[in-house]
Amino acid sequence: MTGGLASTGMTGLRFDTYDWNGGSEAMLRFGPDTGPIVIAALPLFEEANRTRQFLVTILRALAAKGIGSVLPDFPGTGESIVVTCEARLHDQREAYTALAQQLGSRTYAISIRSGALLDTQATLAGRWQLAPQTGAELLRDLERTRNAATRTTPAADREYAGNILCSDMLADLREATAYAGEGPMRIARLDTDPRPADVAHPGSPLWRRSEPGNDIVFAQRLAIDIAQCMASCES
């Protein structure tokens, strides 16, 4: 991996960077650097803010079980130097694939919601998805949010929940689906969600809240599920 590590003073959390064809992006590291490692993908756009603390809680719980992970920015997300209005899904997928290649063959994906759209081109030891979305479903959610907001404040033609999206990104998302190829895959959903899943858990749909939140008990339960899934792949 490229980039220097800088300790935050919090046990098990370090700053790092990774390279892809378009430059360098930041990421957080949790837990050990050896053994199997997880790439964690937040949902795209506003849901990332609502679920970041929750996902960090999951990664800390995995670190306590001896499982390392990274929480990367992708082009156009987080602190990326690529602005949101210039982001393209294929660049985000390319960056994800480059990171997976750098981390090695014992790399696993965990994702929340539209984060499942990012790992489709990567070679991974396994995938775990929480309430995965298609790009079309994401766009419908963005449109609903946009319509609610524009009742009081008009938005620009391509403004969705404060994000200006280029027409190419919108086109990318209309056709985007999560990975459906070979290899270990586990889909988790809330127990209130009737769609097919490998496991259903009681918990809070934090991505639906108006403000960022957390559900520690739910996060710890999911960390157990992820660790068991990885252990079955490693055995």
Side-chain angles (χ1 to χ4, degrees):
M1 301 293 289
T2 60
L5 299 179
S7 172
T8 64
M10 293 182 285
T11 302
L13 172 61
R14 294 92 69 207
F15 291 108
D16 201 353
T17 60
Y18 71 97
D19 292 334
W20 69 289
N21 242 6
S24 182
E25 299 290 350
M27 65 181 178
L28 295 176
R29 278 183 173 269
F30 300 81
D33 295 331
T34 58
I37 192 164
V38 164
I39 300 177
L42 287 160
L44 297 171
F45 312 125
E46 186 57 32
E47 288 190 4
N49 297 325
R50 299 173 192 158
T51 57
R52 180 178 294 274
Q53 185 180 3
F54 174 62
L55 184 52
V56 167
T57 302
I58 294 173
L59 300 184
R60 288 189 179 280
L62 289 175
K65 299 177 185 299
I67 298 172
S69 61
V70 296
L71 178 57
D73 289 339
F74 298 104
T77 75
E79 302 301 318
S80 173
I81 60 172
V82 178
V83 295
T84 304
C85 64
E86 296 177 0
R88 291 291 306 275
L89 182 61
H90 69 72
D91 289 339
Q92 294 169 345
R93 286 173 167 175
E94 184 178 341
Y96 192 111
T97 300
L99 174 56
Q101 289 173 342
Q102 293 172 43
L103 291 175
S105 61
R106 296 175 71 192
T107 301
Y108 294 80
I110 68 171
S111 59
I112 298 175
R113 301 275 284 169
S114 57
L117 301 175
L118 302 180
D119 64 46
T120 58
Q121 299 168 0
T123 299
L124 296 162
R127 289 169 168 84
W128 184 97
Q129 302 170 346
L130 175 61
Q133 276 188 309
T134 66
E137 289 169 337
L138 170 59
L139 287 177
R140 285 196 292 271
D141 281 350
L142 290 174
E143 193 63 42
R144 280 193 292 268
T145 302
R146 171 190 168 91
N147 290 340
T150 54
R151 290 175 190 151
T152 55
T153 305
D157 287 346
R158 294 193 296 272
E159 181 179 348
Y160 297 83
N163 298 290
I164 305 296
L165 306 183
C166 71
S167 57
D168 289 336
M169 180 62 156
L170 294 172
D172 291 346
L173 290 173
R174 287 189 189 101
E175 304 300 324
T177 58
Y179 180 81
E182 297 180 354
M185 169 100 70
R186 185 168 175 85
I187 296 177
R189 296 192 187 277
L190 298 178
D191 59 2
T192 54
D193 188 338
R195 289 175 293 179
D198 297 302
V199 63
H201 292 286
S204 307
L206 298 169
W207 48 86
R208 296 295 188 194
R209 293 184 179 178
S210 58
E211 299 292 336
N214 202 359
D215 186 332
I216 294 174
V217 173
F218 187 25
Q220 291 173 339
R221 187 182 302 118
L222 294 183
I224 293 171
D225 192 30
I226 293 165
Q228 290 174 342
C229 180
M230 292 176 64
S232 68
C233 293
E234 292 281 308
S235 62

